[in-house]
Amino acid sequence: METNRMKERFVPASGKEIDLRKLFSTIKNKILLIVLLTGAITVLGILYNSQSEPNVYSSSSRVMIAATNDMMSTVRALVREPIVLNQVIEDLGLNATAGQLRSQIRVDSVEQSLITVISVADTNPDRAADIANAVVTVYRSVAAETLGISSIRLLTSAVPEPSPINEKSNTIVYVAFVVGLILSLSLAFLLESLDDSIRTEHDIESTLGINMLGQVSKIKSGHSRIHTKKTKQAIIRSETIGS
């Protein structure tokens, strides 16, 4: 008996004893709760992931700006200013404001060099390329007029990209499953820790601090009735013989 208990327990380096049998028993008793909660959160993840969203495409133009380090940040910031964006909206006949168009444009430097990448994201791949190219054209003209910088050279024009940048993946579903499993297990062990009822001989020993010598098996009701009936018949027969 003592050997089996030693096998079912694990003592970590901290010195606290972990009863593996109790852990497995808790999971077994709360398996329905674990399955339902994990399944519910996973289904929510699937529903969230299945929501339809428009595809977004990105096109980029690359330019080289010959400017000093002090002027470079100002020159690059000019790309997303209303003086450039409003002219692009007018040239292309876009149904958007300067603020909306600004949110579609991104300006990045290539490894702190003179090369600048102007990227445009849009739900239409052709329109994204047209906006990127129009921004570069207007930007070069405005930079020459306002900042006196005419040394902005176009390196690569934007072309439509057929693949969207927001392709769906099942990552959110996997995350929902893991989160649901962790929450359900945590809830199962929390409920088990709050339950102070006594169900096993180990619970009796740990609660009362005594060792059990044995246990009385449960007597089924059918056996009890048969035993009572036999006892009554024996008493009646003994009375008949005695009389």
Side-chain angles (χ1 to χ4, degrees), residues 37-97:
L37 185 57
T38 303
I41 296 179
T42 304
V43 169
L44 291 178
I46 295 174
L47 293 177
Y48 179 82
N49 192 53
S50 63
Q51 292 180 351
S52 59
E53 295 181 358
N55 292 330
V56 178
Y57 303 86
S58 179
S59 293
S60 301
S61 295
R62 300 168 72 92
V63 296
M64 183 167 59
I65 304 172
T68 62
N69 294 333
D70 296 335
M71 288 291 297
M72 186 62 72
S73 59
T74 302
V75 175
R76 284 173 176 162
L78 183 63
V79 177
R80 303 174 72 242
E81 289 301 310
I83 190 174
V84 175
L85 302 181
N86 287 329
Q87 186 63 44
V88 172
I89 293 173
E90 182 179 349
D91 292 345
L92 297 180
L94 301 177
N95 185 20
T97 63

Short mmCIF file of all heavy atoms in Angstrom, two decimals, residues 37-97:
data_model
loop_
_atom_site.label_atom_id
_atom_site.label_comp_id
_atom_site.label_asym_id
_atom_site.label_seq_id
_atom_site.Cartn_x
_atom_site.Cartn_y
_atom_site.Cartn_z
N LEU A 37 -16.04 23.78 -21.86
CA LEU A 37 -15.47 25.13 -21.84
C LEU A 37 -14.43 25.30 -22.94
O LEU A 37 -14.41 26.33 -23.64
CB LEU A 37 -14.86 25.42 -20.47
CG LEU A 37 -14.32 26.84 -20.26
CD1 LEU A 37 -15.41 27.86 -20.50
CD2 LEU A 37 -13.76 26.99 -18.85
N THR A 38 -13.58 24.30 -23.12
CA THR A 38 -12.57 24.38 -24.18
C THR A 38 -13.24 24.43 -25.55
O THR A 38 -12.84 25.21 -26.42
CB THR A 38 -11.62 23.18 -24.11
OG1 THR A 38 -11.00 23.13 -22.81
CG2 THR A 38 -10.53 23.28 -25.17
N GLY A 39 -14.26 23.59 -25.73
CA GLY A 39 -14.97 23.58 -27.01
C GLY A 39 -15.68 24.89 -27.29
O GLY A 39 -15.68 25.38 -28.43
N ALA A 40 -16.28 25.50 -26.25
CA ALA A 40 -17.00 26.76 -26.44
C ALA A 40 -16.05 27.88 -26.87
O ALA A 40 -16.35 28.64 -27.79
CB ALA A 40 -17.73 27.14 -25.16
N ILE A 41 -14.91 27.99 -26.20
CA ILE A 41 -13.95 29.04 -26.55
C ILE A 41 -13.34 28.79 -27.93
O ILE A 41 -13.10 29.73 -28.70
CB ILE A 41 -12.86 29.14 -25.47
CG1 ILE A 41 -13.48 29.56 -24.13
CG2 ILE A 41 -11.77 30.12 -25.87
CD1 ILE A 41 -12.49 29.67 -23.00
N THR A 42 -13.11 27.54 -28.27
CA THR A 42 -12.59 27.22 -29.60
C THR A 42 -13.59 27.58 -30.69
O THR A 42 -13.22 28.12 -31.74
CB THR A 42 -12.23 25.73 -29.70
OG1 THR A 42 -11.29 25.39 -28.66
CG2 THR A 42 -11.61 25.40 -31.04
N VAL A 43 -14.87 27.30 -30.44
CA VAL A 43 -15.91 27.66 -31.41
C VAL A 43 -15.98 29.18 -31.59
O VAL A 43 -16.15 29.67 -32.71
CB VAL A 43 -17.27 27.10 -30.95
CG1 VAL A 43 -18.41 27.68 -31.79
CG2 VAL A 43 -17.29 25.59 -31.05
N LEU A 44 -15.83 29.92 -30.50
CA LEU A 44 -15.81 31.39 -30.61
C LEU A 44 -14.64 31.85 -31.48
O LEU A 44 -14.76 32.79 -32.27
CB LEU A 44 -15.73 32.02 -29.22
CG LEU A 44 -16.97 31.88 -28.33
CD1 LEU A 44 -16.71 32.51 -26.97
CD2 LEU A 44 -18.18 32.53 -28.99
N GLY A 45 -13.48 31.18 -31.30
CA GLY A 45 -12.33 31.51 -32.13
C GLY A 45 -12.58 31.21 -33.60
O GLY A 45 -12.18 31.98 -34.48
N ILE A 46 -13.26 30.10 -33.87
CA ILE A 46 -13.59 29.74 -35.26
C ILE A 46 -14.55 30.76 -35.87
O ILE A 46 -14.39 31.19 -37.02
CB ILE A 46 -14.18 28.32 -35.32
CG1 ILE A 46 -13.11 27.29 -34.89
CG2 ILE A 46 -14.69 28.00 -36.71
CD1 ILE A 46 -13.65 25.88 -34.79
N LEU A 47 -15.56 31.16 -35.09
CA LEU A 47 -16.52 32.14 -35.59
C LEU A 47 -15.85 33.48 -35.87
O LEU A 47 -16.14 34.15 -36.86
CB LEU A 47 -17.66 32.31 -34.58
CG LEU A 47 -18.58 31.09 -34.38
CD1 LEU A 47 -19.61 31.38 -33.31
CD2 LEU A 47 -19.26 30.71 -35.70
N TYR A 48 -14.96 33.88 -34.95
CA TYR A 48 -14.25 35.15 -35.16
C TYR A 48 -13.35 35.08 -36.39
O TYR A 48 -13.25 36.04 -37.16
CB TYR A 48 -13.42 35.48 -33.92
CG TYR A 48 -12.62 36.75 -34.03
CD1 TYR A 48 -13.21 37.99 -33.79
CD2 TYR A 48 -11.26 36.72 -34.39
CE1 TYR A 48 -12.48 39.17 -33.90
CE2 TYR A 48 -10.54 37.89 -34.51
CZ TYR A 48 -11.14 39.09 -34.25
OH TYR A 48 -10.41 40.25 -34.37
N ASN A 49 -12.71 33.95 -36.59
CA ASN A 49 -11.80 33.80 -37.72
C ASN A 49 -12.54 33.70 -39.05
O ASN A 49 -11.97 33.99 -40.10
CB ASN A 49 -10.93 32.55 -37.52
CG ASN A 49 -9.77 32.48 -38.49
OD1 ASN A 49 -8.99 33.41 -38.61
ND2 ASN A 49 -9.64 31.36 -39.20
N SER A 50 -13.80 33.27 -39.00
CA SER A 50 -14.58 33.09 -40.23
C SER A 50 -15.26 34.36 -40.70
O SER A 50 -15.92 34.35 -41.74
CB SER A 50 -15.63 31.99 -40.02
OG SER A 50 -16.56 32.37 -39.02
N GLN A 51 -15.14 35.44 -39.93
CA GLN A 51 -15.75 36.71 -40.35
C GLN A 51 -15.10 37.19 -41.64
O GLN A 51 -13.89 37.20 -41.78
CB GLN A 51 -15.60 37.77 -39.26
CG GLN A 51 -16.42 37.48 -38.00
CD GLN A 51 -16.25 38.55 -36.95
OE1 GLN A 51 -15.40 39.43 -37.08
NE2 GLN A 51 -17.06 38.49 -35.91
N SER A 52 -15.95 37.59 -42.56
CA SER A 52 -15.46 38.01 -43.87
C SER A 52 -14.87 39.42 -43.79
O SER A 52 -15.49 40.35 -43.27
CB SER A 52 -16.60 38.00 -44.89
OG SER A 52 -17.66 38.85 -44.47
N GLU A 53 -13.67 39.58 -44.31
CA GLU A 53 -12.99 40.87 -44.39
C GLU A 53 -12.48 41.06 -45.81
O GLU A 53 -12.04 40.11 -46.46
CB GLU A 53 -11.81 40.93 -43.41
CG GLU A 53 -12.22 40.87 -41.94
CD GLU A 53 -11.02 40.95 -41.02
OE1 GLU A 53 -9.89 41.02 -41.56
OE2 GLU A 53 -11.21 40.96 -39.80
N PRO A 54 -12.55 42.27 -46.32
CA PRO A 54 -12.05 42.51 -47.69
C PRO A 54 -10.54 42.32 -47.76
O PRO A 54 -9.81 42.64 -46.82
CB PRO A 54 -12.45 43.97 -47.96
CG PRO A 54 -12.57 44.60 -46.60
CD PRO A 54 -13.07 43.50 -45.69
N ASN A 55 -10.10 41.79 -48.88
CA ASN A 55 -8.67 41.62 -49.09
C ASN A 55 -8.00 42.98 -49.27
O ASN A 55 -8.56 43.90 -49.87
CB ASN A 55 -8.40 40.76 -50.32
CG ASN A 55 -8.83 39.32 -50.11
OD1 ASN A 55 -8.80 38.82 -49.00
ND2 ASN A 55 -9.23 38.65 -51.19
N VAL A 56 -6.80 43.11 -48.72
CA VAL A 56 -6.03 44.35 -48.81
C VAL A 56 -4.74 44.05 -49.58
O VAL A 56 -4.04 43.08 -49.27
CB VAL A 56 -5.71 44.92 -47.42
CG1 VAL A 56 -4.87 46.18 -47.55
CG2 VAL A 56 -7.00 45.22 -46.66
N TYR A 57 -4.45 44.90 -50.57
CA TYR A 57 -3.27 44.72 -51.40
C TYR A 57 -2.32 45.91 -51.19
O TYR A 57 -2.76 47.02 -50.90
CB TYR A 57 -3.66 44.63 -52.88
CG TYR A 57 -4.64 43.52 -53.17
CD1 TYR A 57 -6.01 43.74 -53.04
CD2 TYR A 57 -4.20 42.26 -53.56
CE1 TYR A 57 -6.92 42.72 -53.31
CE2 TYR A 57 -5.11 41.24 -53.82
CZ TYR A 57 -6.47 41.48 -53.69
OH TYR A 57 -7.36 40.47 -53.94
N SER A 58 -1.05 45.65 -51.32
CA SER A 58 -0.05 46.69 -51.11
C SER A 58 0.87 46.80 -52.33
O SER A 58 1.30 45.79 -52.89
CB SER A 58 0.79 46.37 -49.86
OG SER A 58 1.79 47.35 -49.66
N SER A 59 1.13 48.04 -52.71
CA SER A 59 2.07 48.31 -53.81
C SER A 59 3.06 49.37 -53.34
O SER A 59 2.69 50.27 -52.56
CB SER A 59 1.33 48.80 -55.06
OG SER A 59 0.53 47.77 -55.60
N SER A 60 4.29 49.28 -53.82
CA SER A 60 5.34 50.17 -53.33
C SER A 60 6.14 50.78 -54.47
O SER A 60 6.40 50.12 -55.49
CB SER A 60 6.30 49.40 -52.40
OG SER A 60 5.61 48.85 -51.32
N SER A 61 6.49 52.03 -54.27
CA SER A 61 7.43 52.73 -55.16
C SER A 61 8.69 53.01 -54.36
O SER A 61 8.64 53.28 -53.16
CB SER A 61 6.82 54.03 -55.67
OG SER A 61 5.70 53.78 -56.48
N ARG A 62 9.82 52.99 -55.05
CA ARG A 62 11.10 53.25 -54.40
C ARG A 62 11.74 54.48 -55.05
O ARG A 62 11.86 54.56 -56.27
CB ARG A 62 12.03 52.04 -54.52
CG ARG A 62 11.46 50.78 -53.88
CD ARG A 62 12.26 49.56 -54.29
NE ARG A 62 13.56 49.54 -53.65
CZ ARG A 62 13.82 48.92 -52.49
NH1 ARG A 62 12.84 48.28 -51.85
NH2 ARG A 62 15.03 48.93 -51.99
N VAL A 63 12.14 55.41 -54.17
CA VAL A 63 12.78 56.64 -54.66
C VAL A 63 14.07 56.84 -53.88
O VAL A 63 14.24 56.32 -52.76
CB VAL A 63 11.87 57.87 -54.49
CG1 VAL A 63 10.62 57.74 -55.33
CG2 VAL A 63 11.51 58.08 -53.02
N MET A 64 14.99 57.61 -54.48
CA MET A 64 16.22 57.97 -53.79
C MET A 64 16.24 59.48 -53.59
O MET A 64 16.10 60.25 -54.56
CB MET A 64 17.45 57.52 -54.57
CG MET A 64 18.77 57.81 -53.85
SD MET A 64 20.19 56.94 -54.58
CE MET A 64 20.16 57.58 -56.24
N ILE A 65 16.39 59.88 -52.34
CA ILE A 65 16.33 61.29 -51.98
C ILE A 65 17.74 61.75 -51.60
O ILE A 65 18.33 61.26 -50.64
CB ILE A 65 15.36 61.53 -50.81
CG1 ILE A 65 13.98 60.98 -51.15
CG2 ILE A 65 15.28 63.00 -50.46
CD1 ILE A 65 13.01 61.01 -49.98
N ALA A 66 18.26 62.69 -52.36
CA ALA A 66 19.58 63.24 -52.06
C ALA A 66 19.41 64.47 -51.18
O ALA A 66 19.22 65.59 -51.67
CB ALA A 66 20.32 63.59 -53.35
N ALA A 67 19.46 64.24 -49.88
CA ALA A 67 19.29 65.33 -48.92
C ALA A 67 20.20 65.08 -47.73
O ALA A 67 20.65 63.95 -47.48
CB ALA A 67 17.84 65.44 -48.46
N THR A 68 20.47 66.12 -46.98
CA THR A 68 21.32 65.99 -45.80
C THR A 68 20.55 65.26 -44.69
O THR A 68 19.31 65.14 -44.73
CB THR A 68 21.75 67.38 -45.30
OG1 THR A 68 20.58 68.12 -44.92
CG2 THR A 68 22.52 68.12 -46.37
N ASN A 69 21.28 64.80 -43.69
CA ASN A 69 20.64 64.10 -42.59
C ASN A 69 19.66 64.99 -41.83
O ASN A 69 18.64 64.51 -41.34
CB ASN A 69 21.71 63.56 -41.63
CG ASN A 69 22.56 62.48 -42.26
OD1 ASN A 69 22.11 61.78 -43.16
ND2 ASN A 69 23.80 62.35 -41.80
N ASP A 70 19.95 66.27 -41.75
CA ASP A 70 19.06 67.18 -41.04
C ASP A 70 17.75 67.38 -41.80
O ASP A 70 16.69 67.57 -41.18
CB ASP A 70 19.74 68.55 -40.84
CG ASP A 70 20.97 68.44 -39.94
OD1 ASP A 70 21.01 67.50 -39.13
OD2 ASP A 70 21.86 69.30 -40.06
N MET A 71 17.80 67.33 -43.11
CA MET A 71 16.61 67.56 -43.93
C MET A 71 15.85 66.28 -44.26
O MET A 71 14.69 66.34 -44.66
CB MET A 71 17.02 68.25 -45.24
CG MET A 71 17.43 69.68 -45.07
SD MET A 71 16.01 70.74 -44.64
CE MET A 71 15.00 70.57 -46.09
N MET A 72 16.50 65.13 -44.09
CA MET A 72 15.91 63.89 -44.56
C MET A 72 14.56 63.60 -43.91
O MET A 72 13.59 63.21 -44.59
CB MET A 72 16.87 62.73 -44.31
CG MET A 72 16.39 61.41 -44.89
SD MET A 72 16.21 61.45 -46.69
CE MET A 72 17.93 61.48 -47.19
N SER A 73 14.46 63.78 -42.60
CA SER A 73 13.19 63.49 -41.92
C SER A 73 12.07 64.40 -42.39
O SER A 73 10.93 63.98 -42.56
CB SER A 73 13.37 63.62 -40.41
OG SER A 73 13.80 64.94 -40.07
N THR A 74 12.40 65.66 -42.66
CA THR A 74 11.40 66.61 -43.14
C THR A 74 10.96 66.26 -44.56
O THR A 74 9.76 66.31 -44.89
CB THR A 74 11.97 68.05 -43.12
OG1 THR A 74 12.36 68.37 -41.79
CG2 THR A 74 10.93 69.04 -43.60
N VAL A 75 11.91 65.90 -45.39
CA VAL A 75 11.60 65.56 -46.78
C VAL A 75 10.71 64.33 -46.83
O VAL A 75 9.74 64.28 -47.62
CB VAL A 75 12.89 65.34 -47.58
CG1 VAL A 75 12.56 64.87 -48.99
CG2 VAL A 75 13.71 66.62 -47.63
N ARG A 76 10.99 63.34 -46.02
CA ARG A 76 10.18 62.12 -46.02
C ARG A 76 8.79 62.36 -45.43
O ARG A 76 7.80 61.78 -45.88
CB ARG A 76 10.90 61.02 -45.25
CG ARG A 76 12.03 60.38 -46.02
CD ARG A 76 12.84 59.42 -45.19
NE ARG A 76 13.86 58.76 -46.01
CZ ARG A 76 14.92 58.14 -45.50
NH1 ARG A 76 15.12 58.11 -44.20
NH2 ARG A 76 15.80 57.55 -46.32
N ALA A 77 8.70 63.22 -44.42
CA ALA A 77 7.40 63.51 -43.82
C ALA A 77 6.49 64.23 -44.79
O ALA A 77 5.25 64.16 -44.67
CB ALA A 77 7.59 64.35 -42.55
N LEU A 78 7.06 64.94 -45.78
CA LEU A 78 6.25 65.67 -46.75
C LEU A 78 5.37 64.75 -47.58
O LEU A 78 4.33 65.18 -48.11
CB LEU A 78 7.18 66.49 -47.66
CG LEU A 78 6.51 67.40 -48.70
CD1 LEU A 78 5.68 68.48 -48.00
CD2 LEU A 78 7.56 68.03 -49.61
N VAL A 79 5.75 63.48 -47.71
CA VAL A 79 4.98 62.54 -48.53
C VAL A 79 3.54 62.43 -48.05
O VAL A 79 2.61 62.36 -48.86
CB VAL A 79 5.66 61.15 -48.50
CG1 VAL A 79 4.82 60.15 -49.29
CG2 VAL A 79 7.06 61.23 -49.08
N ARG A 80 3.30 62.48 -46.75
CA ARG A 80 1.97 62.24 -46.18
C ARG A 80 1.27 63.53 -45.76
O ARG A 80 0.33 63.50 -44.98
CB ARG A 80 2.09 61.28 -44.99
CG ARG A 80 2.74 59.97 -45.36
CD ARG A 80 2.99 59.06 -44.17
NE ARG A 80 1.75 58.51 -43.66
CZ ARG A 80 1.28 58.74 -42.44
NH1 ARG A 80 1.93 59.55 -41.62
NH2 ARG A 80 0.15 58.18 -42.04
N GLU A 81 1.74 64.67 -46.28
CA GLU A 81 1.12 65.95 -45.94
C GLU A 81 -0.06 66.24 -46.89
O GLU A 81 -0.07 65.79 -48.04
CB GLU A 81 2.15 67.07 -46.03
CG GLU A 81 3.18 67.04 -44.92
CD GLU A 81 2.53 67.15 -43.54
OE1 GLU A 81 1.71 68.08 -43.35
OE2 GLU A 81 2.85 66.32 -42.67
N PRO A 82 -1.07 67.00 -46.40
CA PRO A 82 -2.24 67.31 -47.23
C PRO A 82 -1.91 67.99 -48.56
O PRO A 82 -2.64 67.81 -49.54
CB PRO A 82 -3.07 68.23 -46.33
CG PRO A 82 -2.69 67.85 -44.95
CD PRO A 82 -1.23 67.50 -45.03
N ILE A 83 -0.83 68.77 -48.59
CA ILE A 83 -0.48 69.45 -49.84
C ILE A 83 -0.18 68.45 -50.96
O ILE A 83 -0.42 68.72 -52.15
CB ILE A 83 0.73 70.40 -49.61
CG1 ILE A 83 0.94 71.28 -50.83
CG2 ILE A 83 1.99 69.60 -49.29
CD1 ILE A 83 2.03 72.34 -50.62
N VAL A 84 0.30 67.28 -50.60
CA VAL A 84 0.54 66.21 -51.58
C VAL A 84 -0.70 65.36 -51.77
O VAL A 84 -1.11 65.06 -52.90
CB VAL A 84 1.73 65.33 -51.13
CG1 VAL A 84 1.91 64.14 -52.07
CG2 VAL A 84 3.01 66.15 -51.07
N LEU A 85 -1.35 64.98 -50.67
CA LEU A 85 -2.47 64.05 -50.73
C LEU A 85 -3.68 64.65 -51.44
O LEU A 85 -4.37 63.95 -52.20
CB LEU A 85 -2.84 63.61 -49.31
CG LEU A 85 -1.72 62.94 -48.51
CD1 LEU A 85 -2.21 62.53 -47.13
CD2 LEU A 85 -1.16 61.73 -49.25
N ASN A 86 -3.97 65.90 -51.18
CA ASN A 86 -5.12 66.53 -51.84
C ASN A 86 -4.94 66.57 -53.36
O ASN A 86 -5.90 66.38 -54.12
CB ASN A 86 -5.34 67.94 -51.30
CG ASN A 86 -5.91 67.92 -49.89
OD1 ASN A 86 -6.65 67.02 -49.51
ND2 ASN A 86 -5.55 68.93 -49.11
N GLN A 87 -3.71 66.81 -53.81
CA GLN A 87 -3.45 66.83 -55.24
C GLN A 87 -3.60 65.44 -55.84
O GLN A 87 -4.12 65.28 -56.95
CB GLN A 87 -2.04 67.37 -55.51
CG GLN A 87 -1.72 67.57 -56.99
CD GLN A 87 -2.62 68.60 -57.64
OE1 GLN A 87 -2.87 69.66 -57.09
NE2 GLN A 87 -3.12 68.29 -58.84
N VAL A 88 -3.17 64.40 -55.10
CA VAL A 88 -3.33 63.01 -55.58
C VAL A 88 -4.81 62.65 -55.68
O VAL A 88 -5.25 62.03 -56.65
CB VAL A 88 -2.59 62.04 -54.63
CG1 VAL A 88 -2.92 60.59 -54.99
CG2 VAL A 88 -1.10 62.27 -54.68
N ILE A 89 -5.60 63.05 -54.69
CA ILE A 89 -7.04 62.77 -54.70
C ILE A 89 -7.70 63.43 -55.90
O ILE A 89 -8.56 62.84 -56.58
CB ILE A 89 -7.68 63.25 -53.38
CG1 ILE A 89 -7.18 62.40 -52.21
CG2 ILE A 89 -9.21 63.19 -53.47
CD1 ILE A 89 -7.62 62.91 -50.86
N GLU A 90 -7.28 64.65 -56.19
CA GLU A 90 -7.85 65.37 -57.34
C GLU A 90 -7.43 64.74 -58.66
O GLU A 90 -8.25 64.60 -59.59
CB GLU A 90 -7.42 66.84 -57.29
CG GLU A 90 -8.00 67.69 -58.40
CD GLU A 90 -7.56 69.14 -58.31
OE1 GLU A 90 -6.98 69.52 -57.27
OE2 GLU A 90 -7.80 69.89 -59.29
N ASP A 91 -6.17 64.35 -58.77
CA ASP A 91 -5.68 63.78 -60.03
C ASP A 91 -6.34 62.43 -60.33
O ASP A 91 -6.64 62.14 -61.49
CB ASP A 91 -4.16 63.62 -59.98
CG ASP A 91 -3.45 64.97 -59.95
OD1 ASP A 91 -4.09 65.99 -60.26
OD2 ASP A 91 -2.24 64.99 -59.59
N LEU A 92 -6.53 61.61 -59.32
CA LEU A 92 -7.09 60.28 -59.53
C LEU A 92 -8.60 60.22 -59.33
O LEU A 92 -9.21 59.18 -59.62
CB LEU A 92 -6.43 59.27 -58.56
CG LEU A 92 -4.91 59.07 -58.73
CD1 LEU A 92 -4.40 58.06 -57.71
CD2 LEU A 92 -4.58 58.61 -60.15
N GLY A 93 -9.20 61.31 -58.86
CA GLY A 93 -10.64 61.32 -58.63
C GLY A 93 -11.06 60.36 -57.54
O GLY A 93 -12.09 59.68 -57.67
N LEU A 94 -10.29 60.29 -56.46
CA LEU A 94 -10.57 59.36 -55.37
C LEU A 94 -11.69 59.88 -54.48
O LEU A 94 -11.81 61.10 -54.25
CB LEU A 94 -9.31 59.14 -54.53
CG LEU A 94 -8.09 58.58 -55.26
CD1 LEU A 94 -6.91 58.50 -54.29
CD2 LEU A 94 -8.41 57.20 -55.84
N ASN A 95 -12.51 58.99 -53.99
CA ASN A 95 -13.57 59.34 -53.05
C ASN A 95 -13.04 59.14 -51.63
O ASN A 95 -13.42 58.21 -50.92
CB ASN A 95 -14.80 58.46 -53.30
CG ASN A 95 -15.98 58.86 -52.42
OD1 ASN A 95 -16.03 59.99 -51.91
ND2 ASN A 95 -16.92 57.95 -52.25
N ALA A 96 -12.14 60.01 -51.23
CA ALA A 96 -11.50 59.88 -49.91
C ALA A 96 -11.01 61.25 -49.49
O ALA A 96 -10.83 62.17 -50.30
CB ALA A 96 -10.35 58.89 -49.96
N THR A 97 -10.79 61.37 -48.18
CA THR A 97 -10.22 62.60 -47.63
C THR A 97 -8.72 62.44 -47.49
O THR A 97 -8.17 61.33 -47.62
CB THR A 97 -10.85 62.92 -46.27
OG1 THR A 97 -10.50 61.87 -45.35
CG2 THR A 97 -12.36 63.03 -46.37
#
